[in-house]
Amino acid sequence: MARPRRPIASVINASLTALALVGLFVVQAYFVGGAVGLMPAAHAEMPAFAAADVPDGPIMVDYCSEAVAAHDPGNPSGRTSTSVELDDAWFAGDSRRYHHGIATNCAVLSAVCNSESHFYSGSGDRIPYAERALSALGFSQVRTDSYELRSAVLDQLAALVNGSHDVAAYTFANRRIETARHGDAAAGGSSSSSPATGSSPEALVFVGIRGSYGAEWVSNFNLPDAASPDADHRGFKTAEQEVAQALERYLDEIGADPARTRILVTGHSRGGAIANLLAADLIDRADGPGALASADAIYAYTFAAPCPTKSADRGDNAYAGIFNIVNPSDLVPQLPLPAWGYGRYGTTVELPGYASTRFASSLALMQQAYQANTGLLDSYSPDALERLDSFDAQASQSLPTLESLLNPFGIFTAVRELLEVDLGLAFTSHCPDTYIAWMQAVDARALSFTQRA
């Protein structure tokens, strides 16, 4: 008796299932093998031209511009350049005073850390952006190993399969600095001209955290339980804990003395949110046995950071020196909505917004800086900007609680709110290029400061 023939659809489904299982096994094997060092992987090395001394004045560094990549098919990585500078004297004062020079250059360095993924992704220009920029600034012992299993397409599949997407890639580096301790540091730029009270070499440790990448986007929606009123965002906090542990090991490796160490933390977007939590963690530890640096030696400048915490203590004076630079026309720093109890540790520093009296005079300067960095013109529509600036207030009325999203009407409302904004302009307002240009075009007098974020 002849065996019944299986329907072709069943054969196809069985084949696809088998291929999927094999694929999952290969991804899992690759991830585990890479994690324990059995799989070969490229490591970015320090350039041969690494500087032995801190450069005297600004230098040009390369980074990858999303705007350039979107507009220039011949430059798919969006490689461009701008100037950057870190002066020892800037770190002579209390880190709890805003310093526009440090902030401006952190905007660039956060973009450089995002760009490092191009080296490890297995495609693109294979340029070690972080190693090149930081070594040219006089840093040594640059570490970017965390990018190794978190940049290629297969890495992202592995993260989804393993549920290991609550992570981030990060860059560490250090250099020796001579800090003449002054009684006070100028809030807008250079150090105070008051006489120095002492001078000694210290370690300046740089921590740059990459923004959202691949499967890490899933982590951005890993919010805390509604029953935990003071909890940090779970996806950001899990990533921050790994960075904190890695930083502790790095400081031990270089023999850093907490009493003579200054830590500079930065990041853009998701990287900014993780940097915000890391800086708060370092400050919390500063007075205890696990201190990595003193509280007045922790410099934190984040850009476009979403709100990573519901902590009622986030506005305490202890965190006032965590400076979170936000563009009022950027939707990301408005999420998760403040109406749901979310915010950032430290001080919110707003760039000139549409409603600002300085907006008209500052906009032309920002556009000049944007064009100089990217070769592109940046045009803003006043009506569209006004809608973006008020997005959180409008959304809070329509979606007063997080639970509002748990029903079809809430989802419909969220989609409607998003469709009412200019998404192209929203993208531009969030890009590192825009933050860099604004920071280069204005000074501290054009910014507004609010301690409770």
Side-chain angles (χ1 to χ4, degrees):
M1 182 176 179
R3 296 174 60 187
R5 303 179 67 180
R6 298 177 63 187
I8 187 66
S10 298
V11 175
I12 293 175
N13 288 336
S15 300
L16 291 175
T17 300
L19 286 173
L21 290 173
V22 170
L24 290 177
F25 174 78
V26 170
V27 167
Q28 176 76 3
Y30 169 82
F31 184 83
V32 173
V36 299
L38 296 178
M39 300 289 291
H43 290 271
E45 301 292 340
M46 289 291 289
F49 58 82
D53 300 308
V54 177
D56 183 15
I59 61 170
M60 295 298 291
V61 299
D62 292 335
Y63 73 96
C64 295
S65 161
E66 295 166 325
V68 172
H71 289 85
D72 184 358
N75 185 5
S77 65
R79 183 181 177 186
T80 188
S81 62
T82 192
S83 64
V84 70
E85 177 182 14
L86 286 179
D87 190 326
D88 284 8
W90 294 353
F91 299 93
D94 191 325
S95 63
R96 292 168 290 197
R97 293 291 303 275
Y98 174 81
H99 193 291
H100 195 67
I102 298 175
T104 300
N105 291 283
C106 279
V108 178
L109 292 176
S110 63
V112 168
C113 290
N114 288 349
S115 306
E116 182 74 6
S117 304
H118 285 262
F119 177 85
Y120 287 96
S121 66
S123 60
D125 47 25
R126 303 281 293 175
I127 294 173
Y129 288 94
E131 284 78 7
R132 286 191 174 188
L134 291 166
S135 64
L137 286 169
F139 285 87
S140 63
Q141 295 168 292
V142 181
R143 297 285 187 273
T144 57
D145 295 352
S146 60
Y147 291 78
E148 185 178 322
L149 293 176
R150 296 172 181 173
S151 300
V153 173
L154 197 56
D155 300 335
Q156 303 308 310
L157 290 174
L160 289 174
V161 170
N162 289 277
S164 58
H165 45 264
D166 289 335
V167 297
Y170 45 88
T171 298
F172 297 152
N174 76 91
R175 82 180 196 198
R176 305 302 295 179
I177 60 174
E178 294 285 342
T179 56
R181 297 300 185 91
H182 295 280
D184 204 356
S190 61
S191 301
S192 169
S193 58
S194 58
T197 58
S199 179
S200 61
E202 298 187 46
L204 174 62
V205 176
F206 173 80
V207 180
I209 305 174
R210 182 177 71 181
S212 297
Y213 190 92
E216 294 164 17
W217 277 97
V218 178
S219 180
N220 294 341
F221 300 94
N222 189 5
L223 302 174
D225 296 329
S228 303
D230 293 335
D232 292 330
H233 183 292
R234 282 182 299 195
F236 300 151
K237 185 61 179 178
T238 302
E240 182 272 328
Q241 289 172 328
E242 181 201 348
V243 179
Q245 292 169 3
L247 176 61
E248 188 172 355
R249 293 191 299 270
Y250 179 78
L251 292 174
D252 182 66
E253 174 190 335
I254 66 174
D257 176 0
R260 301 167 69 82
T261 298
R262 293 178 173 260
I263 302 176
L264 176 59
V265 183
T266 192
H268 182 275
S269 194
R270 172 184 170 83
I274 297 168
N276 182 268
L277 295 179
L278 176 63
D281 187 10
L282 294 174
I283 291 170
D284 289 341
R285 300 172 59 173
D287 294 327
L292 301 182
S294 61
D296 65 350
I298 297 165
Y299 299 77
Y301 292 87
T302 77
F303 300 88
C307 300
T309 185
K310 296 173 73 176
S311 171
D313 298 331
R314 63 182 182 267
D316 285 2
N317 191 58
Y319 308 118
I322 303 175
F323 297 102
N324 306 294
I325 292 88
V326 302
N327 181 356
S329 304
D330 184 357
L331 297 184
V332 173
Q334 303 177 46
L335 299 171
L337 292 174
W340 301 347
Y342 287 91
R344 288 171 288 271
Y345 288 97
T347 301
T348 291
V349 182
E350 280 199 355
L351 298 171
Y354 174 70
S356 169
T357 57
R358 290 182 174 269
F359 180 76
S361 59
S362 301
L363 179 61
L365 296 175
M366 185 279 283
Q367 292 176 323
Q368 290 175 15
Y370 188 94
Q371 185 175 18
N373 294 338
T374 66
L376 303 170
L377 292 174
D378 181 20
S379 58
Y380 270 8
S381 162
D383 292 339
L385 279 177
E386 186 175 19
R387 182 69 183 88
L388 287 172
D389 286 13
S390 62
F391 174 82
D392 59 338
Q394 298 289 338
S396 296
Q397 292 180 4
S398 304
L399 301 165
T401 66
L402 179 59
E403 289 71 25
S404 304
L405 287 173
L406 301 181
N407 61 74
F409 178 74
I411 296 174
F412 170 78
T413 301
V415 172
R416 184 191 63 194
E417 292 288 344
L418 288 173
L419 290 177
E420 289 181 359
V421 304
D422 184 333
L423 295 180
L425 183 56
F427 173 79
T428 299
S429 297
H430 181 65
C431 279
D433 298 294
T434 300
Y435 278 82
I436 292 170
W438 270 119
M439 295 300 292
Q440 292 174 337
V442 303
D443 59 26
R445 294 171 297 179
L447 309 176
S448 61
F449 295 77
T450 307
Q451 184 161 336
R452 178 122 188 165

